[in-house]
Amino acid sequence: MVFKNERTFFEMTKAKKVELFHKKYDEAVEKVKKTFSTHYPNYIDGKEVFSSDGEYEVITPINKSIVIGYCQKGTAEDAKRAIASAKERFYKWSRTPYQQRVKIFQKAAKIMSQKKFELAALMTFDNGKNRYEAIADVDEAIDFLNFYSYLMLKNKGFVNKMGKPFPNEDCTSVLKPYGVWAVISPFNFPLAITTGMSTGAMITGNTIVLKPASDTPLMAIKFYEIMREAGLPDGVMNLVVGSGSTVGEELISNPDIAGVVFTGSRSVGKRIFAKMTSDIVKPCITELGGKNPIIVTSKAKLNKAIEGVARSAFGFGGQKCSACSRLIVFEDIKEKFIEGLIQWTKEKVIVGDPTKKEIFMGPVINQKAYDDFVHYSDLAKKDGNIILGGNRCEENELRNGFFVEPTIVDNLPLNHEIIKTELFLPIMAVITVKNLEEALKIANDTEYGLTAGIFTENAKEREYFFDHIEAGVTYCNRTVGGSTGAMVNGQPFGGWKASSSTGKGAGGLYYLQQFMREQSQTIVK
Ligand code: NAP
Ligand code: MG
C-alpha cells in the first residue's frame, strides 16, 4: 500500500514531455469552450433539481462578457431537501464497509486523472488560474482522493483494540461518522479544496451537502459528476449551488446538520463557528485566512530568495491563503534584494490571459477584488511608497477582465491595515529589520498563523526560525514558493491562531479523525 503524488507537470517534464503537456492543455481549452452554453442543475438525492429562483450566468474573470455556464440560484428550500436526503441516506452509507467506500474514491481518482487537462482548462476560465496552477489544483484533488483512501486502509477503518483494565474486559475503540456534514468551499482552490473536504467527510462514512463558492461552481459540478461515475450512491453527496446568504445560512442553521467543514474568509468562518456552537456544540472545521511572512536574512542566497518570494506573493495573483503578503528583509541586504525582486517580477510575472502558456498571472477573481485593489493601492500610495505596480492593467483586451499589476509597497507603519489584514490580492508589503529576533517578533505580530518562510543558509538561523515561528506550515529555502505550494502527504496544511479552528492539517495524518467521533465498546466476558 503506497501513496504517490500526481505531480503532472513535474512528471511530464522529467519524461521530457513538456510539449505534450502544452498540447493537451491547449486542446482541452478548445474543447471546454464548446461547453460554455451548458445549463447545470443542482443535484439532490441523485436527481437533477432546478431552482425555483432560476439560474445565473457564471462569467470568467478573464473577460466579464463571456459566460462559461449557467448555474442554479439554489434556495433555502433546496438546501433543506438536500439535508433531508443526506440524512435519509446516512444509515446505509455509514454501515457500508470502509473498504467498499474506499474503492469508490480510488476509482474517482482514476477518472479525475483521465480528465485532468479538461478540468484544468475549465478551471482557468472558472477562476483565472494559469495552466501550471490549474493542473496543480487538479493534481491536489486527485492526491486527496488517493491519500484519504490510503489513510482509511492504513488505519483499518479506525477500529483499535484497547488495553484490558480488568482481565475479563474486552475493550475496543471505534471511530464513527457523525451524520450529515455541510461542506462550504472557496473560489481559490475550487477543485482541490472542494474535493479534499468532501472526501474527508464522505470516506469516513458521513453524507454531505456541498455548497461551492458562487464565483466558481463549475469545478464542484465536475467533481459531483466524477463521484457518480465512480459509483457513489444517491444522496451521499448532494450539491446545491447558491449564495452564502441563502443556501449557506440554511446549512449552518439547520438542526439536522451534524458538522460543518469550511474553507474561506475569516469573517464567514467566525460566523459559522458561532452558529455551530450556539446551542449544541457541533464539530466545525474552519480553515481561514493568513497574513503570511517570509523572512530574508543576510545569510540568504539572494537568487533563491527572490524567486521564492515572488512566486509566493504573486502566484495566482496573491489569492492563496498561503501567499506571502509580508516580506521581512534584513536591512543590510535590502537594497540588493529588492532590486533583484523587482527585476525578477518585471521579467517573469507576466500578466495576461491565463490560457496562454507564457502567462504567470491571470486576473483577480471578481469586481469586488478588482475594486479592492484600487482602494488598497491608493492607501499604499498615501501612507507608504509603491515600489512596483499599483495599477490596473487596462490595455487592449485586458480591460474586459479583472487584471491588475503585481504590487510591492514599502515604508508603511507596522500597524497599517495593509500589514494587518488579509487582502487576498497581489500586494506585498516590505518590512525592514535589523536582526532575526526582530524579524520573528514582527512575523508573529499578527492574529493569523497559517504559513511562513525563511531564506537563510545558516543552520542556527533556521533553527531559531522553526523554534519561534507561530504558524502551521513553515518552510526554509523553498524556491518553488517561499510560503506556498503545500503537497498532500508532504506538508499537512492547516493554520494556527486565527487561521484555523482545529490545528490539524489537510493532507496530513490527523485530518480524517476530525470527521468521526469515538465510541469505546466494552464486552465483559
Ligand atoms: P468566502 O467569501 O468566505 O467564501 C467561502 C464560502 O463561504 C463560499 O462558498 C461562500 O459562498 C460561503 N459563504 C459566504 N457567506 C456565508 C454564510 N453567511 N454562511 C455560509 N456560507 C457562506 O471566501 P472566498 O472569497 O471564497 O475565499 C477566500 C478566503 O478563503 C481567503 O480568506 C483565504 O485565506 C481563505 N482560504 C483559506 C484556506 C486555508 O486552508 N486556510 C485555503 C483557501 C482559502 P458565496 O460564494 O456564495 O458567497
Ligand atoms: Mg468571496
Side-chain angles (χ1 to χ4, degrees):
M1 197 176 28
V2 284
F3 165 79
K4 197 169 167 293
N5 294 100
E6 187 82 0
R7 303 186 308 190
T8 301
F9 190 68
F10 178 86
E11 297 291 347
M12 290 185 79
T13 305
K14 209 169 77 182
K16 303 205 173 0
K17 288 187 177 159
V18 175
E19 284 318 306
L20 182 65
F21 172 87
H22 290 307
K23 184 167 171 274
K24 285 188 166 218
Y25 177 87
D26 291 336
E27 283 169 5
V29 165
E30 293 312 312
K31 196 165 166 194
V32 302
K33 276 184 185 166
K34 299 196 178 96
T35 67
F36 285 175
S37 56
T38 310
H39 295 255
Y40 296 96
N42 280 331
Y43 290 100
I44 299 174
D45 208 41
K47 288 175 206 67
E48 295 187 353
V49 172
F50 294 88
S51 167
S52 58
D53 278 1
E55 54 184 22
Y56 70 101
E57 295 177 342
V58 183
I59 58 144
T60 172
I62 303 170
N63 183 335
K64 54 192 178 230
S65 63
I66 298 179
V67 175
I68 60 169
Y70 300 82
C71 284
Q72 301 302 306
K73 280 191 207 157
T75 61
E77 211 39 56
D78 293 329
K80 281 195 181 107
R81 283 175 58 198
I83 294 165
S85 152
K87 191 179 174 191
E88 167 85 27
R89 303 290 179 170
F90 172 70
Y91 185 88
K92 190 157 176 220
W93 178 245
S94 62
R95 269 82 176 167
T96 302
Y98 73 90
Q99 298 93 330
Q100 221 169 302
R101 291 200 299 260
V102 161
K103 281 207 179 92
I104 297 173
F105 291 90
Q106 288 174 327
K107 186 162 176 207
K110 288 210 176 77
I111 300 170
M112 203 180 271
S113 186
Q114 284 154 10
K115 298 185 178 185
K116 65 173 122 181
F117 284 95
E118 272 165 60
L119 291 166
L122 185 59
M123 191 186 301
T124 297
F125 289 104
D126 201 29
N127 78 354
K129 271 191 184 180
N130 71 26
R131 62 182 63 192
Y132 314 98
E133 303 263 5
I135 204 83
D137 193 317
V138 180
D139 285 349
E140 190 176 349
I142 298 166
D143 285 353
F144 280 132
L145 290 163
N146 282 325
F147 184 64
Y148 294 148
S149 297
Y150 162 83
L151 283 184
M152 285 305 287
L153 298 175
K154 185 176 161 217
N155 289 287
K156 300 191 168 62
F158 295 93
V159 177
N160 282 292
K161 275 274 169 246
M162 301 302 290
K164 276 183 179 294
F166 295 100
N168 60 343
E169 287 186 351
D170 180 11
C171 309
T172 309
S173 155
V174 183
L175 288 190
K176 292 186 163 185
Y178 284 90
V180 182
W181 280 65
V183 180
I184 303 177
S185 58
F187 76 86
N188 67 337
F189 282 83
L191 191 61
I193 291 180
T194 304
T195 301
M197 295 195 298
S198 303
T199 301
M202 290 190 287
I203 205 166
T204 49
N206 301 280
T207 53
I208 69 167
V209 180
L210 167 63
K211 190 208 99 58
S214 299
D215 284 321
T216 57
L218 299 190
M219 287 295 119
I221 294 169
K222 294 291 153 193
F223 171 54
Y224 179 88
E225 290 169 356
I226 289 168
M227 288 312 302
R228 294 291 284 173
E229 197 181 330
L232 192 73
D234 286 349
V236 171
M237 174 180 183
N238 301 276
L239 173 64
V240 185
V241 176
S243 75
S245 55
T246 54
V247 174
E249 282 295 323
E250 180 61 36
L251 290 179
I252 63 176
S253 314
N254 192 296
D256 285 333
I257 287 291
V260 175
V261 56
F262 168 82
T263 304
S265 63
R266 183 174 169 198
S267 57
V268 175
K270 264 168 66 177
R271 172 165 176 76
I272 296 179
F273 198 89
K275 276 270 192 183
M276 292 301 287
T277 52
S278 65
D279 180 18
I280 297 170
V281 176
K282 295 178 181 177
C284 182
I285 306 170
T286 59
E287 289 297 341
L288 310 175
K291 195 69 200 175
N292 311 300
I294 296 182
I295 299 168
V296 180
T297 83
S298 329
K299 304 210 166 72
K301 281 233 167 77
L302 286 195
N303 55 343
K304 278 205 238 172
I306 285 166
E307 183 170 345
V309 168
R311 286 190 180 281
S312 174
F314 304 127
F316 191 39
Q319 302 172 109
K320 294 185 192 175
C321 46
S322 54
C324 172
S325 50
R326 295 183 297 144
L327 163 65
I328 302 174
V329 59
F330 278 33
E331 195 175 50
D332 53 348
I333 51 139
K334 178 180 173 185
E335 210 183 307
K336 221 169 144 205
F337 179 78
I338 295 289
E339 200 185 291
L341 181 67
I342 290 177
Q343 197 189 339
W344 197 97
T345 308
K346 279 186 175 160
E347 272 170 28
K348 304 271 170 71
V349 184
I350 302 171
V351 180
D353 176 350
T355 60
K356 296 187 181 147
K357 80 172 170 197
E358 66 279 10
I359 294 302
F360 185 101
M361 203 171 108
V364 294
I365 187 67
N366 54 25
Q367 186 70 46
K368 181 179 179 299
Y370 196 49
D371 294 342
D372 282 355
F373 178 84
V374 173
H375 169 76
Y376 287 112
S377 294
D378 288 348
L379 209 58
K381 275 173 212 151
K382 184 163 82 67
D383 300 333
N385 307 331
I386 291 194
I387 55 175
L388 182 72
N391 304 298
R392 285 176 168 176
C393 305
E394 293 174 310
E395 321 79 69
N396 306 324
E397 75 275 17
L398 293 194
R399 77 166 64 93
N400 301 322
F402 306 121
F403 294 90
V404 302
E405 292 173 347
T407 298
I408 305 177
V409 51
D410 196 3
N411 292 324
L412 288 169
L414 280 179
N415 61 357
H416 195 272
E417 195 185 345
I418 292 177
I419 289 188
K420 290 292 177 191
T421 54
E422 184 189 53
L423 310 183
F424 231 53
L425 291 166
I427 298 178
M428 180 175 67
V430 181
I431 300 166
T432 315
V433 293
K434 290 199 167 51
N435 54 46
L436 196 56
E437 201 185 338
E438 189 189 359
L440 262 301
K441 269 210 186 88
I442 290 172
N444 289 334
D445 184 18
T446 165
E447 290 173 319
Y448 292 107
L450 191 50
T451 72
I454 189 169
F455 284 89
T456 174
E457 299 300 316
N458 180 284
K460 283 230 159 59
E461 286 190 346
R462 185 182 67 215
E463 279 159 31
Y464 186 90
F465 168 77
F466 283 131
D467 193 30
H468 289 83
I469 191 72
E470 296 167 0
V473 192
T474 58
Y475 302 94
C476 178
N477 292 340
R478 201 154 186 265
T479 306
V480 294
S483 65
T484 52
M487 298 288 290
V488 170
N489 190 39
Q491 291 94 9
F493 194 83
W496 288 15
K497 296 154 74 177
S499 295
S500 160
S501 61
T502 72
K504 309 281 192 300
L509 298 175
Y510 315 113
Y511 188 71
L512 291 184
Q513 290 89 325
Q514 304 179 101
F515 294 93
M516 295 174 283
R517 48 191 172 186
E518 187 170 24
Q519 183 172 65
S520 78
Q521 300 176 344
T522 299
I523 303 168
V524 180
K525 295 252 163 80

